[in-house]
Amino acid sequence: MRKSSWIRTGSAVVLVAASALTRFSVYPALHQVPDDTRTTFRFEGSATLLNPPALETGDLSEAFLADLPVILDRSVEVRDTSGRTAVVADGVVLRGRDGTRLNSSEDVWAVDRRDLTERPAPAGSGAGKHEGLVISWPLEPERRDYRFWDTGTRKAVPARYDRTETVSGREAYVYVVKADGALADPATTKALPPALPRQVVAGLAAALPADRRPDAAVLAALPETVPLTYTSTTERRAWVDADTGLSLDGALHQTVLARTAGENGPVTLFPVTDVSVRGAEASVEKQADEAAGTARLLWLLSTGAPLGLLVLGLVLALLALRGARRRAGEGERRPGAEPSAEPRTPQRR
C-alpha cells in the first residue's frame, strides 16, 4: 500500500473517531448547566403590600401600598459544580419602579445539571432540601407534566403541560404550576408577627376595599390578642423553549394572606403581599436570542459536526480503498506478467 493510501486510511480513522468523540463525549459534556452560569430575568407588574412606615406610626389608613407598579428581578447563579451536581443561588428582588427595594429573598439549591431535578446537597453548600424542578426546566423538555418545588409552601406540586405556543419566533411549551397551603418559607414567616392586637387587625381590615374586608361581626368576636397564621397561594405560567429548555417568558401571581381561627373555621383577615407580574419584553427577547444561539450550537455538536466528520471519514476510506484496488489491478497487468494476446506460429526448419 502506498504512502498516500496509508495517509487517507489513517485520516479516515481519525475523522470517524472524532465524529464519535464529538457526539458521545463533547456534546454531553457541554449539554449541561455551565459552571459559570449567571442570569437575570426581569418581570413587571403590580403589587399590594403592607406599608411598614404606616404600621410603625400607627396610621393604619395608609397601611397598604395598593396596586403599586413593581419590577421583580430573579437571578440564578451557579456557585459550585461537582460532576452532575450544580449548587445554585436563586435570588429574587422586588422593587418599585423608582428603584426602591420592597422585598428580597435568596435560596440555595443542589440540582442536576441536565434535568434540573434535585441532587444530594454537597457538604457545606448550604443547599436547601427540595423535590423536583425548582429553578428552571430540563434541557430537553417534553410535552408532559413535571413535579415543581413551590418555595412558599415548601412542597412539590404538579407542573402541568398546557399547550404549545410561539414566543419571539421560538416554539415554546407552556406549563402551569398552582400551589396553596400554609406559608412555610422560613425567611418570610420569621419576619411576620405571630399575633396582633384586635384593634390593629380591625384597623388593617378597615383600610381594605369594602369587598375584601372581613365581616364586622367576625372581627368583633376575635380575642384581644389575635393569633395569626399565614397562607401562600401561587400560580406560575412558564413558556419554555422546546429545543433548549430555557425559560422564554413567565407569569407569576403570588399571595400571602393573614388568617386566624374563627367560630366557623379559618377567617381571612388581610393580605401581606399580593404580587402579579409578567416577563418584561426586553428579557423575553434576550432569552429568545439566547435560545436560538444555544440551539444552533447544540445542533452543531450533536448532529452537524459528527455527521460531517463521519461523511468525510467515509469518503477518505472509499478513496483509499479505490486507490488500493486500482494499484492492484495495474500490478496484474505489468509486461511479462500477462500471456501474449496472439498465438505464436511454429517456425520451419
Side-chain angles (χ1 to χ4, degrees):
M1 184 180 290
R2 293 185 179 180
K3 183 177 180 180
S4 60
S5 294
W6 282 112
I7 293 175
R8 287 174 181 171
T9 302
S11 298
V13 171
V14 169
L15 289 171
V16 172
S19 172
L21 181 66
T22 301
R23 179 61 182 85
F24 299 109
S25 181
V26 177
Y27 171 69
L30 294 179
H31 189 39
Q32 61 183 358
V33 175
D35 57 11
D36 60 349
T37 295
R38 185 182 183 128
T39 64
T40 298
F41 189 88
R42 172 159 291 185
F43 299 84
E44 297 175 339
S46 62
T48 295
L49 308 167
L50 285 173
N51 185 5
L55 296 178
E56 291 176 2
T57 61
D59 183 10
L60 298 184
S61 63
E62 301 293 331
F64 294 98
L65 301 172
D67 299 322
L68 183 71
V70 295
I71 294 170
L72 188 151
D73 288 329
R74 186 184 186 190
S75 61
V76 173
E77 179 183 3
V78 173
R79 291 185 173 174
D80 193 17
T81 58
S82 177
R84 286 282 297 268
T85 301
V87 177
V88 182
D90 179 14
V92 175
V93 178
L94 182 69
R95 294 184 176 89
R97 291 296 176 93
D98 61 356
T100 302
R101 180 176 290 215
L102 302 171
N103 202 350
S104 64
S105 65
E106 183 180 86
D107 291 291
V108 179
W109 313 109
V111 302
D112 187 279
R113 297 177 69 183
R114 294 179 188 170
D115 64 23
L116 281 295
T117 57
E118 73 277 7
R119 293 281 288 182
S125 66
K129 182 180 178 181
H130 77 285
E131 299 175 17
L133 305 174
V134 66
I135 60 166
S136 192
W137 305 84
L139 302 186
E140 296 180 352
E142 302 177 24
R143 294 184 181 93
R144 66 174 179 86
D145 296 348
Y146 291 92
R147 297 180 74 210
F148 196 92
W149 185 253
D150 177 60
T151 56
T153 59
R154 285 315 200 247
K155 64 181 182 181
V157 295
R160 304 193 183 281
Y161 168 76
D162 187 58
R163 61 190 184 277
T164 298
E165 291 185 350
T166 300
V167 176
S168 297
R170 302 288 303 171
E171 183 182 41
Y173 300 153
V174 184
Y175 300 94
V176 178
V177 183
K178 295 182 179 180
D180 63 85
L183 179 67
D185 177 17
T188 305
T189 54
K190 185 178 180 180
L192 296 174
L196 284 174
R198 182 176 61 192
Q199 183 179 358
V200 173
V201 172
L204 290 172
L208 294 170
D211 60 344
R212 299 184 63 183
R213 296 173 190 166
D215 185 85
V218 172
L219 289 175
L222 295 177
E224 288 296 326
T225 300
V226 182
L228 300 176
T229 59
Y230 300 91
T231 62
S232 172
T233 301
T234 304
E235 180 174 348
R236 299 176 183 270
R237 291 184 183 271
W239 284 258
V240 178
D241 187 72
D243 292 330
T244 65
L246 290 176
S247 294
L248 302 176
D249 195 1
L252 170 68
H253 185 198
Q254 185 174 37
T255 305
V256 174
L257 300 175
R259 306 174 79 183
T260 192
E263 293 182 359
N264 299 317
V267 178
T268 298
L269 298 174
F270 54 85
V272 176
T273 61
D274 188 343
V275 179
S276 182
V277 291
R278 178 74 186 263
E281 182 177 353
S283 284
V284 173
E285 292 296 331
K286 180 182 177 181
Q287 287 293 96
D289 290 342
E290 184 174 345
T294 301
R296 286 192 293 269
L297 176 61
L298 292 178
W299 178 87
L300 181 64
L301 291 174
S302 66
T303 305
L307 184 60
L309 291 169
L310 179 61
V311 170
L312 186 57
L314 293 176
V315 168
L316 288 177
L318 289 174
L319 289 176
L321 180 60
R322 181 179 177 184
R325 287 181 175 178
R326 184 176 63 249
R327 283 187 292 274
E330 290 175 351
E332 291 177 358
R333 293 191 298 271
R334 287 176 184 173
E338 294 181 346
S340 176
E342 296 181 1
R344 289 185 178 182
T345 303
Q347 293 183 356
R348 294 182 181 179
R349 293 186 180 181

